[in-house]
C-alpha cells in the first residue's frame, strides 16, 4: 500500500489576485531564478503556503518556468513574455547614457571648482573676522580724517613732513579698507551662490551694514 503526502492547506485554496500579481511582478522585475523560500522572504506580506500556490498556478499558466535542481525547485519568468528591444532603440539608450555621463562629469567638475573656490575664500577670513577688521579700519580712518579736519579748522600750520605722514597713513588705511572690503564681498558672493534669496537680502539677513548704507565712500588718493 502506498501513501501520498498532500498539503491539505493548499488543496482547494484560492489565491488572492493581488498575491498572484505581486509574485508575477517580482519574477518579471528581478528576472532571475528564485526558489519558493526566496520569494517568500522577499514578499513578506504573504505566507509561504499562499505564495507556493501562486507560483504553481503561474507555472501552470506558462508565466513561470519550473526547473528542478536535485530536490529543489526553482522558477524563472518566461523570457518569451519579456519585451524585445530592437537595435536602434538600444543604440539610442546607449547614446543617452553617454550624453548623461558627460553632463554628470561636467557638473561634478563645476561642483569641485566651486568647492575649491569657496574653500580658498573662507580660509582667509571668516565673515565675522572680516566685518570686525573692516570696522577697525573704518574707525581708524575716521580718526585720522577727524584729526586732519580739526587741525585745518584751527589754522595750524602743519609741517610738510607731518602732512606727509598723515596723508600716507590715510592712503595706507584706505588701501587696507579696500582690501578688506573686497575680501568681505568675496565671502558674501560665495555664500550668495547657494543662498535661496538675493544677495541684498542675504546682507540684510546677516545684519551687515555696508559702506553705502552708512553713506561712506573711499577717500581719494593724492
Amino acid at each position: 500500500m502506498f501513501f501520498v503526502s498532500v498539503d491539505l492547506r493548499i488543496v482547494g485554496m484560492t489565491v488572492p489576485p493581488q498575491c498572484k500579481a505581486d509574485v508575477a511582478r517580482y519574477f518579471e522585475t528581478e528576472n532571475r531564478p528564485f526558489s519558493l523560500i526566496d520569494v517568500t522572504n522577499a514578499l513578506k506580506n504573504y505566507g509561504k503556503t499562499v505564495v507556493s500556490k501562486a507560483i504553481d498556478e503561474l507555472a501552470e499558466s506558462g508565466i513561470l518556468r519550473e526547473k528542478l535542481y536535485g530536490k529543489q525547485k526553482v522558477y524563472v519568468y518566461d523570457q518569451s513574455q519579456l519585451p524585445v528591444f530592437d537595435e536602434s532603440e538600444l543604440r539610442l539608450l546607449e547614446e543617452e547614457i553617454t550624453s548623461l555621463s558627460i553632463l554628470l562629469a561636467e557638473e561634478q567638475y563645476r561642483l569641485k571648482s566651486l568647492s575649491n573656490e569657496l574653500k580658498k575664500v573662507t580660509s582667509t577670513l571668516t565673515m565675522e573676522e572680516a566685518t570686525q577688521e573692516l570696522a577697525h579700519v573704518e574707525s581708524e580712518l575716521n580718526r585720522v580724517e577727524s584729526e586732519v579736519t580739526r587741525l585745518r579748522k584751527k589754522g595750524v600750520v602743519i609741517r610738510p613732513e607731518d602732512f606727509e605722514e598723515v596723508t600716507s597713513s590715510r592712503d595706507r588705511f584706505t588701501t587696507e579698507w579696500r582690501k578688506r572690503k573686497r575680501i568681505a564681498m568675496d565671502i558674501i558672493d560665495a555664500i550668495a551662490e547657494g543662498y535661496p534669496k538675493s544677495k541684498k537680502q542675504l546682507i540684510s539677513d546677516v545684519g551687515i551694514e555696508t559702506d553705502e548704507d552708512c553713506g561712506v565712500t573711499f577717500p581719494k588718493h593724492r
Side-chain angles (χ1 to χ4, degrees), residues 82-168:
L82 294 174
V84 179
F85 295 95
D86 58 27
E87 289 297 326
S88 60
E89 188 173 356
L90 289 175
R91 193 178 304 110
L92 288 175
L93 289 175
E94 290 175 354
E95 291 175 357
E96 184 178 359
I97 291 173
T98 301
S99 177
L100 291 175
S101 298
I102 294 174
L103 181 61
L104 175 61
E106 292 175 349
E107 290 299 321
Q108 288 176 335
Y109 177 78
R110 179 173 177 272
L111 177 61
K112 183 178 180 180
S113 298
L114 290 175
S115 298
N116 291 337
E117 186 66 23
L118 179 60
K119 186 182 298 182
K120 182 172 63 176
V121 172
T122 55
S123 63
T124 53
L125 287 176
T126 64
M127 178 70 75
E128 182 179 0
E129 290 172 341
T131 302
Q132 291 176 352
E133 188 65 24
L134 181 60
H136 172 71
V137 172
E138 290 176 346
S139 175
E140 190 65 21
L141 181 61
N142 290 335
R143 185 189 66 78
V144 173
E145 289 184 334
S146 296
E147 183 67 16
V148 172
T149 301
R150 185 182 66 81
L151 292 175
R152 283 176 177 171
K153 286 182 178 180
K154 288 180 64 176
V156 178
V157 178
I158 301 176
R159 294 180 304 166
E161 55 269 27
D162 292 337
F163 179 78
E164 179 67 25
E165 181 181 354
V166 171
T167 51
S168 295

Side-chain angles (χ1 to χ4, degrees), residues 1-11 73:
M1 181 178 295
F2 297 94
F3 295 92
V4 179
S5 177
V6 178
D7 191 338
L8 297 179
R9 294 173 298 175
I10 297 180
V11 176
K73 291 181 180 180

Side-chain angles (χ1 to χ4, degrees), residues 127 131 191 195 201-208:
M127 178 70 75
T131 302
I191 297 174
Y195 199 68
Q201 187 61 45
L202 168 62
I203 293 175
S204 175
D205 292 344
V206 175
I208 298 175

Side-chain angles (χ1 to χ4, degrees), residues 6-23:
V6 178
D7 191 338
L8 297 179
R9 294 173 298 175
I10 297 180
V11 176
M13 172 184 289
T14 301
V15 179
Q18 186 61 48
C19 173
K20 193 172 180 179
D22 288 343
V23 172

Side-chain angles (χ1 to χ4, degrees), residues 43-57:
L43 304 179
K44 300 184 182 299
N45 292 336
Y46 306 107
K48 181 179 179 181
T49 303
V50 70
V51 171
S52 176
K53 181 66 173 177
I55 289 177
D56 288 341
E57 292 184 4

